[in-house]
Amino acid sequence: MKRILLLLALALVSQGGMAQRIRFTINDAWKFQLQEQDASATDLDDRLWETVSFPHTWNALDTDDETPGYYRGKGWYRRMIRIDEKFPEQRIYLQFEGANQQTTLYINGQPVGSHTGGYTAFTFDITDRVSPGDNLFVIEVDNSHNPDIPPLSADYTFYGGVYRDVYLTYTPAAHISTTHYASSGVYLRTQETDGRNARISATTMLTNDSKQAVSAILRHRIEDESGKTVAQSQQRITLRPGALNQACETSIRMNDISRWDIQTPTLYRVYTTLTLPDGQMDQIVSPLGIRTFEFSPDRGFQLNGRPVKLIGTNRHQDYLALGNALPDAMHERDVRLLKEMGGNFLRVSHYPQDPVVMQMCDRLGIVTSVEIPIVNAITESEAFQENCLRMALEMIYQNYNYPSVVIWGYMNEVLLKPPFDPNDPAAKKRYYDWLFRIASALETTFRTTDPTRYTMLPCHSMQETYIESGIASLPKILGFNIYDGWYRETFDHFEKRLAMLHELFPNQTLLVSEYGADVDPRIHSFQPERYDFSCEYGNLYHEHYLPVILRTDYVAGASVWNLNDFYSEDRGEAVPHVNNKGLTGLDRSRKDSYYLYQATLCERPVLHICSSDWKLRGGAPTQTLKCYTNASEIEVRMNGDSIGRYPVRDHIARFEITFTEGENELAVCDPTPGRQVRDLYRCTYRNDRTPSFDKLTSLNMLLGTNRMFEDPESGTTWAAEQPYTPGSWGYVGGKVYRTLMRRGSVPASDAEILGTRNDPIYQTRREGIREFRADVPNGQYAVYLHFAELNTVDPRKESVYNLGNGPIHTTYEERRFNLTANGREILHDVDIAKQFGALRAVCIKIEVQVENGDGLRLEFQPLEGEPFLNAIRIYREY
């Protein structure tokens, strides 16, 4: 299909005239190579290069490996592009929707132009650089760190490559501008509304690349969703010779309007047509949504005069094993996921994203905030400020016509880790002065370029630094990224913090721009606690936050961090190199908390059994489960038998069930007549607390933790530890290892464990363990002993994203021990760190014969320091 469209487009271009501009992608079959040297020459052998298509990133798999860091440097793309014969004075442009982060274009060995910045579109006029026939296009992209280009650092991966579409565009010599900040060249604004009527202003940027003045007709025609023309304007204009981005203003009166709203996102189409004396035409289509909106420090957000609580998410643009090189359909899917959740707000963070995202928000009625990628810190240079201001203008003009956009954002958590010595007052003042200068310039740029929208500064929880620097006083909205109950404090501190912020900033609107807790769907706990990464703790977190947000009038809205899990190279934790705070996974599988929002925000029937992705279930047979639903009560059936009806409070129903060994089916339904909604949960249950040892195949146990871990790839579930009691299994002696933090301790190490994909097996342990016993029947057993030394000689690099609650370096001590199994020495003088290294997964498999009904008994004999064990698997061979 793409080839057919391409041939059709070229055929139209080659004709003597055309009805409108021709624009098509040239994404496919580029030659690609990573290399440092200049690859812009025309005589290189393309056979030595890899063939790729756009969208493309060379870092797609970097964040899934164990090698620290990822490639940041140059990549080169080459392809022959055929240019057809041009009709008189035809202009040709090459537009990139996004390439990260410095891009230079060469054609036939000669440089054409460059662009700095990784998240906005840019356009090159290539008319005078190409000739009819084949032309060699070479694209150099560089994602190296550059102190003058934001972002300098952030909690996400800075992928390199041409990761969005690339278009070739043909226009007449006189045309609607393509090079005014790579925008559409048409800017629409609702000047006023009066009941059912509105006045629309249209600014059109026009370019005339001929040497003579051109008299032309400029028309704007507005169509409604049915295709009916509802308003139009026409004017004769004269374009100066060589005019570049000549502005033409007009006003259009509309009657009997329909407004763009969340439930009814009415979109008009505005056809802007430039007709030339020789009959040539240039035309583009722009969206138009008519709405009024207002933010108030006390009343929050109002849309079309009606109060609306904005509830939604943030979004990063990457996906499992693809990096940020996503096809359009995957961007569309993400926005649909948000809408299906009941969300009405998307913070497009921390950078402008693919145009498809904005188009979908317009179409589905999702209010948005879009921001430029200044994150964590700034550079004190004129070049940095110039890049920031240009990025702001590109973002504004490229997103100007989307009615979903109501907020422009900038400087996310820019004082999280400022690059000055805190003991140097002069350096601090200099940095604050420069920061205020850039922030002021940005604020002025936003307000003068687009006075209709609001500005927002997203801050981290150290609000005093934003006050001291002066930048907190600049924007109309203050966003706060709040993680009470995760990185710090407890759940109930959230509402206290909101009240304090409202008191500190009574004249600015407050928005909770980020909040969330990391969840690894493989981890479960019946005793969840902060920073254990369990599904159950993540659920408790959102169960507390969401009602507080909804009932606090002065909070205009909130956006969960994040819609989806996303890659962040510097993170360790349960899933290394991934931030797991998403309501969906990297593959967009929905987590429990997604359904909490759906049950709370949607009117259609919703019912979801929590932890229903836990397919291999353990623990004691009788357990308390819960559902998220917007029903008033639920009916529960277990293995075909009704166990009763249960009330729903705050969209949560809790009930107790008893699993039977083997296959189980739980069915929950809404018994209300007319509400046909139900959910099924099928799982295999094994009693791993007091198992039937005569039927034993294997036991898998974690030490030093209340967490349970399911490994879907191997079909195994790891039980939480327990002390040994006769007739069962468990540890004897020792203590739980906990990672010491500046504000207490957390239940598991946040370090990446090398040599495994199942880090949670190794991130907890029992120290000083004396024995491990299991009263298994006679037979031969394979025992898998899992070790990882969690203390290191040198302190690990602290992540700024712990918000000052980083790990305290624990003094390393040598640990040597012997191990006997049923009285027979198996391992002698084991030194895990010396033999294998710290933070590395080690699995030692031993064979043990159990005789005389003695069961399995492992004894750890210390030689130096305390012996330890992270996890154990017992498998009955025969």
Side-chain angles (χ1 to χ4, degrees), residues 531-586:
Y531 226 70
D532 68 1
F533 289 81
S534 70
C535 299
E536 290 70 25
Y537 186 81
N539 293 346
L540 292 175
Y541 182 99
H542 288 283
E543 288 169 18
H544 182 89
Y545 267 66
L546 182 53
V548 172
I549 293 164
L550 289 172
R551 69 172 179 256
T552 307
D553 292 339
Y554 57 78
V555 173
S559 47
V560 178
W561 188 260
N562 195 277
L563 173 64
N564 48 275
D565 293 347
F566 58 92
Y567 288 110
S568 179
E569 173 65 23
D570 292 338
R571 282 185 174 262
E573 303 173 339
V575 185
H577 316 300
V578 175
N579 186 313
N580 284 114
K581 293 185 182 67
L583 298 180
T584 71
L586 271 168

Side-chain angles (χ1 to χ4, degrees), residues 340-366:
E340 290 168 14
M341 188 190 81
N344 60 15
F345 179 59
L346 177 65
R347 179 183 172 215
V348 182
S349 55
H350 293 302
Y351 41 79
Q353 296 180 15
D354 194 285
V356 169
V357 174
M358 310 311 302
Q359 293 162 10
M360 287 295 291
C361 289
D362 281 354
R363 189 174 300 125
L364 296 180
I366 295 175

Side-chain angles (χ1 to χ4, degrees), residues 829-872:
D829 197 7
V830 177
D831 187 330
I832 296 296
K834 184 176 181 180
Q835 293 174 289
F836 305 99
L839 301 178
R840 176 165 289 280
V842 177
C843 178
I844 301 175
K845 178 181 177 181
I846 64 174
E847 290 189 346
V848 181
Q849 291 81 38
V850 174
E851 302 175 293
N852 304 317
D854 292 335
L856 174 68
R857 180 178 179 182
L858 304 178
E859 294 182 87
F860 296 80
Q861 301 165 346
L863 300 177
E864 184 174 0
E866 293 185 320
F868 65 92
L869 182 63
N870 298 70
I872 184 171

Side-chain angles (χ1 to χ4, degrees), residues 707-824:
R707 302 196 305 188
M708 293 163 281
F709 177 76
E710 181 182 20
D711 176 13
E713 292 183 353
S714 65
T716 55
T717 294
W718 295 77
E721 72 167 9
Q722 65 180 17
Y724 169 74
T725 56
S728 186
W729 59 267
Y731 65 85
V732 177
K735 62 182 179 180
V736 171
Y737 172 90
R738 291 181 69 92
T739 300
L740 297 179
M741 311 291 279
R742 289 193 174 86
R743 303 188 189 97
S745 64
V746 294
S749 171
D750 65 348
E752 177 184 6
I753 309 300
L754 302 178
T756 182
R757 292 169 59 89
N758 293 323
D759 295 64
I761 294 175
Y762 298 91
Q763 290 172 326
T764 62
R765 71 183 185 192
R766 178 159 285 272
E767 295 186 323
I769 186 172
R770 300 203 319 268
E771 297 180 12
F772 187 92
R773 302 186 66 172
D775 290 342
V776 296
N778 293 346
Q780 178 160 307
Y781 292 84
V783 179
Y784 303 77
L785 303 169
H786 296 266
F787 300 99
E789 175 53 68
L790 301 177
N791 293 337
T792 58
V793 174
D794 299 318
R796 291 190 292 116
K797 179 182 177 181
E798 182 176 343
S799 171
V800 66
Y801 303 106
N802 283 322
L803 303 182
N805 190 30
I808 297 174
H809 180 61
T810 304
T811 303
Y812 174 79
E813 60 174 300
E814 292 191 10
R815 306 175 190 275
R816 298 168 43 237
F817 57 89
N818 297 335
L819 177 74
T820 64
N822 289 7
R824 176 177 158 211

Side-chain angles (χ1 to χ4, degrees), residues 338-394:
L338 176 58
K339 186 67 175 183
E340 290 168 14
M341 188 190 81
N344 60 15
F345 179 59
L346 177 65
R347 179 183 172 215
V348 182
S349 55
H350 293 302
Y351 41 79
Q353 296 180 15
D354 194 285
V356 169
V357 174
M358 310 311 302
Q359 293 162 10
M360 287 295 291
C361 289
D362 281 354
R363 189 174 300 125
L364 296 180
I366 295 175
V367 175
T368 63
S369 166
V370 189
E371 63 195 55
I372 55 175
I374 310 175
V375 185
N376 290 1
I378 63 165
T379 299
E380 299 170 61
S381 73
E382 295 289 346
F384 185 88
Q385 175 169 312
E386 290 172 6
N387 283 327
C388 292
L389 294 174
R390 181 183 43 76
M391 288 178 182
L393 289 170
E394 288 175 341

Side-chain angles (χ1 to χ4, degrees), residues 94 96 103-107 110-114 124 126 137-139:
L94 192 68
F96 294 74
T103 305
T104 302
L105 174 66
Y106 302 84
I107 296 180
Q110 299 300 313
V112 174
S114 298
F124 297 121
I126 62 173
F137 283 53
V138 176
I139 305 168

